[in-house]
Amino acid sequence: MSPAPDRIAAAAGLPDGLLHVLVGRGDIGAALVAHGGEPLSPPAGDVTLVVGAEREGLPAKVVAACDERATIPVAAESLHAAMAATVALYECNRR
């Protein structure tokens, strides 16, 4: 199996290597979604975290290319992308 950034970039139609620059080379691809994912928790290994646009979120083909879907449990409808990414990065590094 190829590293998560390669699979996700291919699904999104991004040029080779672009996702590596943006998010690294984790073996596990995790899509951060507003609803329907597992509650965000520290990953067991290196993770490639993918965060979408604020209103549209991630394209379905990108979410499908990810190994996991994670959601940040909040009382509000959702967090904006920068805040969600900040919380997710903190949680990923908390382990």
Side-chain angles (χ1 to χ4, degrees):
M1 177 183 276
S2 62
D6 294 337
R7 290 179 282 129
I8 297 165
L14 296 174
D16 289 344
L18 178 61
L19 206 56
H20 299 253
V21 173
L22 298 177
V23 296
R25 292 201 51 86
D27 291 331
I28 300 167
L32 193 56
V33 295
H35 306 286
E38 293 294 317
L40 184 65
S41 61
D46 291 336
V47 66
T48 296
L49 184 63
V50 185
V51 180
E54 297 198 9
R55 285 183 175 54
E56 298 83 26
L58 292 166
K61 60 186 178 181
V62 173
V63 174
C66 290
D67 303 298
E68 300 175 1
R69 285 131 202 84
T71 300
I72 299 169
V74 294
E77 176 66 23
S78 65
L79 299 171
H80 63 79
M83 182 59 71
T86 301
V87 170
L89 289 171
Y90 171 81
E91 187 66 15
C92 287
N93 286 297
R94 189 171 64 92
R95 59 184 159 124

